Amino acid sequence: MVSTHNAGSTPNRNVAAASAPLELHTWLDAIAEIARAVNRALPLKDLLDLIAGTTCHLTGYDFCGVLLEDPDRECLVIEGSYGLSAAYVANINARCPIRIRSGALGEGPSSRAYRSQRPVALIDIHDDPTCLPWEVVASEQGYHSLLSVPLVVSHAPLGLLNCYTAQRHTFSPREVLLTETIANQAAIAIEATDLRARERARIAELVQLNQRLEEGHAALQRAESVHRDLMRVLLEGEGVDGITRALADMLLCDVVVEDVRGQVIAASTPEGRPCGLPPEYADLLGQRPAEAAGARHTAEIPADVAEPRGRPALVTPVVLDDEIAGRIWAFHPQEAFKPFDRRSLERGAIVVALALLRVRTAQEVEWRLSRDFLDDLLATDRRATEGLLARARQLGTDLSVPHAVVVARHDPPDTAGDTVLRADDDARARRSLLALAQRRADRSGTPALTATRGDHVVVLWPEEGGQTDAAAFAEELRREIRAYAAGWTASVALGPRCDDAAEYGDAYRLACGALDLVQGTGRRERIVSLDDLGVYRLLLQVKRPRELAAFARSVLGPLHDYDGRREIRLVETLQAYMGRGCSTALAAEALNVHANTVSYRLRRIQEL
């Protein structure tokens, strides 16, 4: 059923053209041209313009527009046209869109045609109150009559084919039928073009996806190749230094490996030269300590921070025993990093972790052997045997030279609650203290034996006269602990010099006792030697008569020397005074002298 509005229209040239028999081949050529456009994969906009132009040429109408749904499915917008000005199309689409639902004045003719899927014809849109929003733009474009035919595919509306005439015109049933025929063919062509466009987009998406898969596969193969090459370097006996050099050559960039404390373990350029980590990188991680400490993925340092040349840097964690053991930095690349460089760096981190594990395993074995040796040494109460000396030499220690016993232990929890170590933290702190002591000894170049005994870390430090070297080592160790320990502190005790194997047990006990005295008073991060303990030193040395005699000589020696020169009997006076409850009168009676003489001698004893 065609809706028309009769208002005394007058026939024009279009009436004759529409009523005249149209030659069949003209229509067939027009339909074939639309089909050929679809087969040529003509863009949708060009196809819609072709449909609008073909409709006008076949029907003799002045203007034609093809309207489709907008992405939000709220309005119909003109996507293709013939004879309509660009200003008209822009105004309709932007200011006066054809709403699919009813508007303020009800449904307009185009909305009715779309929703009912039936053609709607108006002889003059100025006579229809629902066309009020479009009267001005219609007058500017110069048309009066409208025929709106739905584009239907599979019983679903696709859009509209709107035809306009400059003069008032009555659309005959034959015209409407012919226009519907064109609309049906146009709808099929539009759907086919849309399907082809979506197919091309899907093919392009699949091609792009396949390209990414190929790139990912190539990156994976490159990373596997890098992994094999680095494993070969590791199996040939190279350590972290060799792996770092090889990785720098493979990635063509500078590479730095650092431990979890930020200390550089190895660094290299592609030319094999040593290099350092730019301070701005460490500063960048320092701004995000929690993220930097726990990050378990490769991160990219932005180009504006990384380099003036505008090439980002990469940093990836080295994970060992499910803990962050360090980081690998890659920077100053000769070309911008690609995906396979990131993968290769991650594979390099795995190999570095294996190298660190090998070092850690060897160190664990060395520490265990050192601990067993230390237990045997401290249990020895006689001169060193050849077997003990040989075991010491195998561990890099020459017991034929004197050694000082250095004992370190992390401080107990702070009663104020500032620092509290849990059981697992306690074991971790002891291990960290052992590692710091070992590293400090290695850096000094001194062949010192380092091991654990209970909750102590014991270092046998070679001495060549006095404890100057051992004291310096203790101070360096304290600075190392202060710089790198996380959540704990430690104190260090310097035991006496040992010239024979039988002396190490007592020396260790004395150093442990000194630590007990210092830490028992709540003092932290202290370095203590026996000379610092004063009279408390006697309490620790009751099992070493030689030390007691030495202490007595150091304190009472001036009295004996004075008596030898003056024969005043100061030692005898002191004995009498101490033996009689520190009574001057009783001491004077025992010595058969005046009490004033005893008082004078006591003052002299105090002075000496």
Side-chain angles (χ1 to χ4, degrees):
M1 178 67 67
V2 179
S3 173
T4 61
H5 184 78
N6 295 318
S9 61
T10 58
N12 56 17
R13 59 185 178 83
N14 293 322
V15 176
S19 60
L22 296 176
E23 296 183 3
L24 181 60
H25 69 84
T26 302
W27 284 86
L28 293 177
D29 285 346
I31 298 301
E33 179 60 27
I34 294 176
R36 285 192 292 271
V38 174
N39 292 333
R40 295 198 309 269
L42 199 68
L44 181 61
K45 176 66 171 63
D46 296 340
L47 175 66
L48 298 179
D49 289 342
L50 175 63
I51 291 172
T54 301
T55 302
C56 287
H57 292 150
L58 290 176
T59 61
Y61 300 143
D62 298 298
F63 315 106
C64 184
V66 181
L67 290 78
L68 301 178
E69 291 180 343
D70 69 348
D72 297 329
R73 300 177 64 86
E74 294 182 356
C75 301
L76 297 171
V77 295
I78 301 175
E79 298 288 358
S81 64
Y82 178 82
L84 298 174
S85 67
Y88 172 83
V89 173
N91 282 332
I92 290 293
N93 290 342
R95 300 180 183 177
C96 308
I98 308 299
R99 298 193 177 277
I100 294 177
R101 305 293 176 184
S102 300
L105 301 176
E107 289 186 322
S110 296
S111 299
R112 293 198 299 272
Y114 180 82
R115 288 165 56 82
S116 65
Q117 300 184 32
R118 301 294 298 272
V120 173
L122 295 179
I123 295 176
D124 194 332
I125 67 170
H126 299 284
D127 296 334
D128 190 331
T130 63
C131 295
L132 183 61
W134 300 282
E135 282 190 356
V136 175
V137 292
S139 298
E140 293 175 353
Q141 180 61 48
Y143 66 82
H144 285 271
S145 300
L146 165 67
L147 175 61
S148 185
V149 179
L151 301 171
V152 181
V153 176
S154 302
H155 305 288
L158 180 66
L160 292 174
L161 183 65
N162 280 4
C163 301
Y164 313 89
T165 62
Q167 303 298 324
R168 294 162 58 90
H169 174 67
T170 301
F171 297 95
S172 67
R174 179 180 176 79
E175 290 181 72
V176 174
L177 180 61
L178 292 175
T179 306
E180 280 188 294
T181 302
I182 298 174
N184 290 335
Q185 297 298 320
I188 295 174
I190 292 172
E191 184 183 40
T193 301
D194 182 61
L195 290 175
R196 180 166 292 182
R198 282 187 288 175
E199 180 183 10
R200 287 197 301 269
R202 181 58 178 166
I203 291 174
E205 182 181 349
L206 291 175
V207 169
Q208 187 177 14
L209 178 60
N210 185 63
Q211 183 178 0
R212 287 200 298 267
L213 289 174
E214 290 179 352
E215 291 175 353
H217 182 66
L220 185 60
Q221 285 185 319
R222 171 72 182 274
E224 289 293 342
S225 176
V226 169
H227 183 75
R228 287 193 300 270
D229 292 342
L230 293 178
M231 284 298 298
R232 189 177 300 112
V233 172
L234 179 64
L235 294 175
E236 288 174 353
E238 292 283 355
V240 178
D241 287 331
I243 296 172
T244 303
R245 288 194 300 271
L247 194 57
D249 290 337
M250 295 171 184
L251 299 182
L252 296 177
C253 67
D254 296 352
V255 177
V256 169
V257 180
E258 63 178 14
D259 62 17
V260 71
R261 304 177 185 89
Q263 287 290 307
V264 174
I265 301 174
S268 180
T269 66
E271 297 79 17
R273 293 180 287 102
C275 63
L277 183 66
E280 56 267 24
Y281 295 169
D283 293 342
L284 184 66
L285 286 184
Q287 298 170 10
R288 307 191 300 269
E291 178 184 347
R296 292 178 177 268
H297 58 275
T298 301
E300 184 175 277
I301 308 301
D304 57 343
V305 176
E307 296 189 48
R309 290 180 288 182
R311 293 173 183 165
L314 297 176
V315 56
T316 192
V318 178
V319 181
L320 186 59
D321 290 341
D322 202 33
E323 293 183 355
I324 302 296
R327 284 177 289 269
I328 301 181
W329 295 84
F331 52 95
H332 296 163
Q334 296 181 5
E335 296 181 0
F337 288 123
K338 297 179 177 60
F340 62 78
D341 293 318
R342 179 188 292 260
R343 288 181 176 271
S344 299
L345 189 64
E346 292 170 350
R347 296 305 178 91
I350 295 175
V351 180
V352 169
L354 291 175
L356 293 178
L357 178 61
R358 185 172 67 180
V359 172
R360 177 180 293 185
T361 302
Q363 194 171 58
E364 291 281 0
V365 172
E366 180 181 350
W367 284 343
R368 186 170 65 251
L369 294 175
S370 298
R371 183 178 65 245
D372 295 341
F373 169 77
L374 185 65
D375 289 341
D376 293 340
L377 178 64
L378 298 183
T380 300
D381 56 0
R382 59 185 184 278
R383 298 188 63 83
T385 64
E386 283 300 323
L388 200 61
L389 294 175
R391 287 175 60 190
R393 284 193 294 270
Q394 290 175 350
L395 295 172
T397 300
D398 184 7
L399 285 184
S400 64
V401 301
H403 283 70
V405 178
V406 181
V407 179
R409 181 174 61 192
H410 60 75
D411 295 315
D414 190 351
T415 56
D418 295 336
T419 305
V420 178
L421 291 177
R422 300 188 303 270
D424 54 344
D425 293 334
D426 184 85
R428 188 177 296 109
R430 185 162 58 251
R431 179 184 178 85
S432 298
L433 179 57
L434 176 62
L436 289 173
Q438 182 71 65
R439 185 168 69 174
R440 188 69 259 171
D442 292 342
R443 287 185 177 179
S444 68
T446 302
L449 184 141
T450 306
T452 58
R453 183 175 172 85
D455 58 351
H456 299 106
V457 173
V458 182
V459 180
L460 301 186
W461 190 265
E463 279 290 317
E464 296 293 341
Q467 292 185 339
T468 304
D469 293 339
F473 166 75
E475 180 60 37
E476 292 172 357
L477 178 58
R478 181 171 64 173
R479 288 198 297 266
E480 194 97 353
I481 295 170
R482 185 176 296 170
Y484 298 113
W488 55 273
T489 61
S491 295
V492 184
L494 300 175
R497 168 188 172 121
C498 300
D499 297 301
D500 187 75
E503 299 176 349
Y504 284 97
D506 286 340
Y508 168 72
R509 181 180 54 78
L510 288 172
C512 292
L515 272 182
D516 292 337
L517 287 174
V518 170
Q519 293 180 332
T521 60
R523 288 177 287 182
R524 313 175 68 83
E525 297 186 82
R526 300 298 297 271
I527 296 177
V528 60
S529 66
L530 296 182
D531 293 337
D532 300 327
L533 299 179
V535 71
Y536 290 102
R537 179 176 173 182
L538 289 174
L539 301 177
L540 302 177
Q541 300 182 139
V542 292
K543 290 188 178 182
R544 297 190 67 175
R546 189 179 67 179
E547 291 292 336
L548 288 175
F551 180 80
R553 284 194 299 272
S554 66
V555 175
L556 303 178
L559 301 185
H560 287 284
D561 295 339
Y562 193 89
D563 285 350
R565 295 193 304 269
R566 303 291 182 87
E567 297 184 351
I568 297 184
R569 299 165 59 194
L570 293 181
V571 175
E572 183 181 0
T573 302
L574 181 60
Q575 289 175 334
Y577 176 75
M578 298 295 293
R580 286 162 179 76
C582 299
S583 171
T584 304
L586 294 178
E589 182 179 351
L591 296 172
N592 198 23
V593 296
H594 195 274
N596 290 339
T597 302
V598 174
S599 298
Y600 167 79
R601 291 179 181 178
L602 289 176
R603 286 196 299 272
R604 189 56 180 157
I605 290 172
Q606 185 176 7
E607 293 172 357
L608 293 175

